[in-house]
Amino acid sequence: GDSVTQMEGPVTLSEEAFLTINCTYTATGYPSLFWYVQYPGEGLQLLLKATKADDKGSNKGFEATYRKETTSFHLEKGSVQVSDSAVYFCALKGYGGSQGNLIFGKGTKLSVKP
Amino acid sequence: GAGVSQSPSNKVTEKGKDVELRCDPISGHTALYWYRQSLGQGLEFLIYFQGNSAPDKSGLPSDRFSAERTGGSVSTLTIQRTQQEDSAVYLCASRTGGSDNEQFFGPGTRLTVL
């Protein structure tokens, strides 16, 4: 079945460092790909998405490019801030059908130190 | 504009008891999902409702789990004869429009089975 694998955390960075969180997927067809973020004490929020190959999703300085050839959707940010400390989840929605249920990776906890 | 709300926020119960968890989706959102977030398992899809269609129950882990959605709005997730492995955070999400649209998540109910 479909699955998502993302790098295990926790990841600890200093402010203004470069961030990469790796995410790879296994799916049939052409899934849609998402990054969700969970800030401390808050619910999951959509960060960005890409629905077809070579699409780049971006939001709040974060970017991820849908790479079908490597089945990857790595999350990147050029300069992280303390406020980016959160748990990040990579997810996919299978191609076709109407359900739209998401398949999540296990999450990567990011801590940014001032 | 209220977001997705869930109640209770925390529930502690004894093994073998039944529990009911409630979700109030965003008004007008036709699709509703339940997920479970547990240590070691990450986020797992449980069940999906869309309008008046029959729910997709493919993610329910056992027949002790059931859910209903009344009037196309409020949903309750029921776990019968709870077991310790049911301890997790149960998340509800709703969306409108197509299946690639953002799912809006509630804050979750943390269930602890003693």
Side-chain angles (χ1 to χ4, degrees), chain A residues 32 34 36 38 44 46 49 51 89 93 98-102 104 106, chain B residues 33 35 37 40 43 45 48 56 91 95 99-103 105-106:
Chain A
S32 297
F34 305 82
Y36 275 78
Q38 190 172 33
L44 276 166
L46 178 66
K49 69 178 183 183
T51 57
F89 293 89
K93 180 190 77 70
S98 61
Q99 291 87 347
N101 57 282
L102 297 170
F104 287 91
K106 293 194 174 182
Chain B
Y33 304 80
Y35 293 89
Q37 186 175 19
L43 272 155
F45 163 73
Y48 161 77
D56 174 1
L91 295 172
R95 68 161 169 82
S99 59
D100 279 337
N101 282 7
E102 178 177 1
Q103 294 183 23
F105 284 80

Side-chain angles (χ1 to χ4, degrees), chain B residues 11-78:
Chain B
K11 176 71 176 178
V12 180
T13 191
E14 293 179 348
K15 179 181 171 181
K17 301 282 191 184
D18 296 353
V19 295
E20 276 194 0
L21 312 179
R22 177 186 168 109
C23 171
D24 283 86
I26 293 172
S27 177
H29 281 197
T30 55
L32 185 148
Y33 304 80
W34 284 96
Y35 293 89
R36 178 170 70 174
Q37 186 175 19
S38 53
L39 284 175
Q41 296 297 320
L43 272 155
E44 304 168 280
F45 163 73
L46 297 177
I47 189 169
Y48 161 77
F49 295 89
Q50 173 64 58
N52 296 320
S53 302
D56 174 1
K57 304 178 182 180
S58 60
L60 294 179
S62 80
D63 59 8
R64 295 186 295 104
F65 288 71
S66 62
E68 62 178 24
R69 188 179 185 191
T70 53
S73 181
V74 171
S75 177
T76 55
L77 176 69
T78 302

Side-chain angles (χ1 to χ4, degrees), chain A residues 9-61:
Chain A
V11 174
T12 302
L13 296 174
S14 297
E15 209 165 20
E16 299 184 4
F18 183 85
L19 169 71
T20 300
I21 301 177
N22 290 338
C23 171
T24 57
Y25 67 89
T26 301
T28 53
Y30 303 91
S32 297
L33 302 173
F34 305 82
W35 278 99
Y36 275 78
V37 58
Q38 190 172 33
Y39 296 103
E42 298 184 18
L44 276 166
Q45 304 171 25
L46 178 66
L47 180 60
L48 52 85
K49 69 178 183 183
T51 57
K52 60 182 188 295
D54 299 326
D55 267 4
K56 178 186 284 187
S58 61
N59 186 26
K60 299 182 180 180

